[in-house]
Amino acid sequence: MKIIGSSNADVGLPLGMAVLRQGGSALDAVERAIRAVESNPLDHTVGLGGLPNLVGVVELDASIMDGTTRLAGAVAGMHGFEHPISIARRVMQDLPHALLVGEGAERFARECGFEERDLLTPEAQDIYEQGLRRGGDGAPYASAVLRAVVGRLAMQPERASGKDAGTVNVLALDSAGNLAVGVSTSGFAWKYPGRVGDSAVIGAGNYCDGRFGAAACTGRGEIAIRAATAHSVVSYLRAGDDPLAAGRRAMEELNDFADAYFSTMNCVVLAPDGRHAAFSSQEGARYALMDETSTEVQMLPRTFVRVSPVDA
Ligand code: ASP
């Protein structure tokens, strides 16, 4: 039994581990852990308290994948629901679909009985407005987005709260040997409305195959989408690499995809035998872990892999 994740998953891992200890499934553990992060208003990268898009609306992406059935569910560009991970799970379980977006996702959430709520906290609104001032009022959207991205790189609110990654990743291995992965995010702050990141894209920010392993990403979603990073990691596991080698290969490939704005990437890997590894393009980053012997969450160093633009 094991549950690992991005460092900001620390608030949820004990709850996920409790599920595993009671004989619950990897899927239940992942969902439970991520729900706790989605409800944490201090985390400005996920769920309640997440930073909004360019027009001030909190816009969420999430996905979940079951390694045993290789079924997956995802939602993207959703507004007004605190637990997109649970809605993604219902997409996986109740519909013959893998991804719902925007109004369709919200309609489905309502039909499933999920409660609606305003996710924009006063603190998140404040950070958003400061960023807009840096971006300049009245600028055409595309250039405002660009300036906002630069502003965010300088500001990094998640760093201010001592976290080293936006977006939450949780990967779990249950007592029956099932693997599952979940990812949830409010995405890039000040993103263009409708922009979907890797967190909702199976193969990019999330992939799980119970025979070989699981991987999840945080960082600049655009490069994980273009490189299909989570799927690459699992492909390398399938080819016989251990988690350290598989993750490193997938991270090193990103050098071909990085550009001046989009070169941050983090990845967490879990094999069916419990071996694990995590990577970051930023030095000093960490990931979180619990297993059956843990009394508290352990924070472990990620392996640093430089990801830089080809012409840097
Ligand atoms: N990967 C997320 C996205 O691109 C953001 C992040 O991890 O900071 O939406």
Side-chain angles (χ1 to χ4, degrees):
M1 279 188 292
K2 195 158 283 175
I3 187 160
I4 68 174
S6 48
S7 63
N8 57 341
D10 59 352
V11 301
L13 290 198
L15 297 163
M17 195 63 222
V19 171
L20 296 178
R21 284 193 171 116
Q22 287 154 15
S25 69
L27 271 176
D28 284 343
V30 162
E31 183 182 358
R32 185 69 198 86
I34 290 183
R35 282 176 67 94
V37 184
E38 288 174 336
S39 293
N40 177 11
L42 302 178
D43 190 326
H44 293 309
T45 67
V46 181
L48 177 70
L51 293 181
N53 66 13
L54 190 64
V55 297
V57 179
V58 181
E59 198 163 274
L60 305 175
D61 300 338
S63 63
I64 193 161
M65 186 160 183
D66 174 10
T68 305
T69 58
R70 274 170 283 150
L71 285 171
V75 291
M78 281 202 84
H79 306 153
F81 290 89
E82 186 171 339
H83 295 300
I85 194 67
S86 298
I87 303 164
R89 186 169 177 184
R90 294 290 296 266
V91 171
M92 175 175 86
Q93 290 177 341
D94 298 357
L95 295 179
H97 302 317
L99 170 62
L100 289 183
V101 304
E103 282 174 20
E106 290 157 21
R107 177 193 176 106
F108 176 66
R110 258 176 238 118
E111 283 177 7
C112 292
F114 288 98
E115 209 177 294
E116 294 182 63
R117 74 174 287 185
D118 183 5
L119 302 174
L120 185 62
T121 60
E123 200 193 350
Q125 176 147 16
D126 225 48
I127 298 170
Y128 161 73
E129 282 168 8
Q130 284 172 32
L132 269 199
R133 282 195 289 276
R134 287 178 190 228
D137 282 341
Y141 268 4
S143 59
V145 167
L146 200 60
R147 279 199 287 262
V149 167
V150 176
R152 183 184 187 225
L153 291 176
M155 210 161 20
Q156 299 229 349
E158 64 273 23
R159 282 207 168 274
S161 65
K163 307 293 184 185
D164 54 40
T167 302
V168 62
N169 295 160
V170 176
L171 300 75
L173 175 64
D174 66 28
S175 56
N178 300 298
L179 273 176
V181 182
V183 182
S184 183
T185 191
S186 50
F188 260 123
W190 305 285
K191 63 191 173 186
Y192 199 93
R195 176 266 186 188
V196 175
D198 59 324
S199 308
V201 179
I202 297 298
N206 178 342
Y207 200 74
C208 188
D209 183 327
R211 300 168 300 174
F212 310 113
C217 303
T218 60
R220 307 296 156 202
E222 282 72 9
I223 60 173
I225 290 174
R226 287 160 57 212
T229 300
H231 188 266
S232 292
V233 173
V234 176
S235 297
Y236 293 136
L237 291 170
R238 179 178 194 153
D241 282 357
D242 64 24
L244 200 59
R248 185 186 288 281
R249 272 171 87 175
M251 288 286 290
E252 284 173 351
E253 280 170 11
L254 298 176
N255 282 299
D256 296 341
F257 295 87
D259 61 40
Y261 295 112
F262 299 110
S263 58
T264 304
M265 186 50 58
N266 310 281
C267 166
V268 187
V269 187
L270 180 60
D273 61 5
R275 286 175 302 162
H276 54 93
F279 304 84
S280 179
S281 61
Q282 293 171 301
E283 286 180 270
R286 298 175 306 161
Y287 68 115
L289 172 137
M290 288 188 87
D291 62 19
E292 56 263 50
T293 64
S294 306
T295 50
E296 56 188 34
V297 178
Q298 276 175 266
M299 300 300 289
L300 303 171
R302 291 181 186 243
T303 301
F304 170 65
V305 179
R306 186 174 303 285
V307 176
S308 40
V310 271
D311 55 354

